[in-house]
Structures are given as C-alpha cells and as structure tokens.
Amino acid sequence: MFDLIKSGGWLMLPIILCSIGAMAIIGERFWTLRKSKILPPDLVPQIWKLSREGKLDASALRSLKMSSPLGAVLAAGLANSRHGRDIMRTSIEEVGRQIVHELEKFLNTLGTIASITPLLGLLGTVVGMIKVFTAIMMHGVGDPTILAGGISEALITTAAGLSVAIPSLIFHRYFERLVDEYVLNMEEEALRLIDVLHGEREEA
C-alpha cells in the first residue's frame, strides 16, 4: 500500500489528507444528525402534557431548549406565546436559522473535498504525463521502464482522487437531503404548535 502511495507522487499527500478529513466529517455528521437526537419522538407529547398540567415554566423551557434542536425551536415559540402569533413565528424563525446553520456544519467542507479531489487527481495526471514526455525527450521510447514511473503516477493519482471524491459527493448530497427533511419536520411541528396555542387547531 505504501509503495502504491509512493508511486503516486507528492500529490497523493493532499489527496490522503482530504480522505481523512472526509471520513472524519462523515462519521461526525452520522453521529450528530441522528433522528432521535434532532427530532425526539416523545418530545411533542411531553410538551402537551406539561402544558395541560400548567408546568411550562421558565425552568421547563430552559430544559426543553437544551434537549434537542426541535426542543430549541419549540421553546422559542412557547417563550413568546403570550405576545401573539406573529411574534411567535418570528422567534421560531430566528432560532430555526441558527439550528439550520448547526445542522449544516461541515457540509460545505465535505462538498469542497468532493470538488477538489478530482482536480488534484487531474493535476497528478498532468504531472505524470509531463514526466513521461520529458523521459521521451531525453531517452526516446526504446525503454518502456523509463516511462512507467510517469504513467503510473498519472493513473494512481487520478484513481485516488476519484476514490475520495465519489463517496464524499454521495454523503454530501445525503446529508443535505437529511437536513432538509429535519427542517421540514421542525417547521411542521412549530406551525402546529402556533395553531394549537391560538385555538386554530386541536391538539393531536
């Protein structure tokens, strides 16, 4: 394996660093974007229970805010419920923007890795081919072993770049879709909360 990496030339180093970064981001996002952590299934029934019992005080709202991203969004609405529907919606939207920013953390970096690693591979291909043509100019085409180094460098860096870029792009799209679904679900719950508190919808 080390010989293969060595054969790819110095451009294998940034490609390897990109692969390590991509794996770290993918693992972190899988752990952070668990549905049970973002949208706890028992959270909304717990809120309605506390509301019926008159226990939605400042302490309960603080606990709700710290529990999950959905809890933070709903806590913002509940904290401003006495100020009317428009203020509730505004406060929910403000917190929602912060939550979306947190959910999309590192995704831009992962997308950048997916974009630059094929270019690094292409650059490795160009460097390898330059070495091939330089060897041809100096030694001719009689000895194929002279050309092998440049050709192998060109192929290895291209393959390495694509090997990092393809899974990075797949997971980048997957996490973006996952975040969109979470945001949609939080928006639905927030709107339902507003409607219920203002008597425009029955509690589910």
Side-chain angles (χ1 to χ4, degrees):
M1 184 66 179
F2 178 75
D3 291 337
L4 186 65
I5 294 173
K6 187 177 179 181
S7 299
W10 63 271
L11 278 167
M12 287 296 290
L13 179 59
I15 293 175
I16 291 172
L17 293 176
C18 285
S19 70
I20 294 171
M23 287 189 293
I25 292 171
I26 291 168
E28 189 276 340
R29 287 292 88 186
F30 264 120
W31 178 257
T32 302
L33 296 179
R34 290 169 294 158
K35 188 172 184 178
S36 60
K37 183 178 180 180
I38 307 299
L39 305 170
D42 59 341
L43 183 63
V44 174
Q46 181 183 354
I47 291 174
W48 297 133
K49 181 181 178 182
L50 292 174
S51 178
R52 287 192 299 267
E53 296 173 355
K55 296 180 180 179
L56 278 175
D57 53 13
S59 176
L61 289 179
R62 276 196 304 271
S63 178
L64 178 62
K65 181 180 179 181
M66 300 300 294
S67 65
S68 64
L70 176 60
V73 170
L74 297 182
L78 290 167
N80 293 278
S81 59
R82 64 183 181 278
H83 298 302
R85 182 186 181 93
D86 291 339
I87 299 299
M88 278 187 72
R89 181 185 289 272
T90 300
S91 61
I92 286 173
E93 289 175 350
E94 290 174 353
V95 173
R97 283 192 290 270
Q98 298 173 8
I99 296 298
V100 171
H101 180 71
E102 286 298 317
L103 295 180
E104 292 179 340
K105 189 177 181 181
F106 301 130
L107 293 188
N108 188 46
T109 303
L110 186 61
T112 301
I113 290 173
S115 299
I116 66 172
T117 45
L119 298 179
L120 290 172
L122 179 61
L123 179 59
T125 300
V126 173
V127 171
M129 296 310 296
I130 289 173
K131 290 183 178 180
V132 169
F133 286 113
T134 301
I136 290 174
M137 289 175 61
M138 294 179 63
H139 305 285
V141 294
D143 187 359
T145 59
I146 297 176
L147 310 180
I151 295 173
S152 65
E153 182 174 337
L155 296 177
I156 290 170
T157 52
T158 302
L162 292 174
S163 297
V164 176
I166 292 171
S168 297
L169 180 60
I170 291 171
F171 283 110
H172 178 258
R173 295 286 177 86
Y174 169 75
F175 289 131
E176 279 192 333
R177 176 63 178 171
L178 195 61
V179 169
D180 288 342
E181 290 180 1
Y182 287 160
V183 170
L184 180 60
N185 289 334
M186 285 190 284
E187 183 180 350
E188 290 176 351
E189 292 293 347
L191 291 175
R192 188 154 64 94
L193 174 71
I194 293 173
D195 291 343
V196 169
L197 290 178
H198 287 84
E200 297 177 11
R201 185 186 298 187
E202 294 299 323
E203 177 185 332

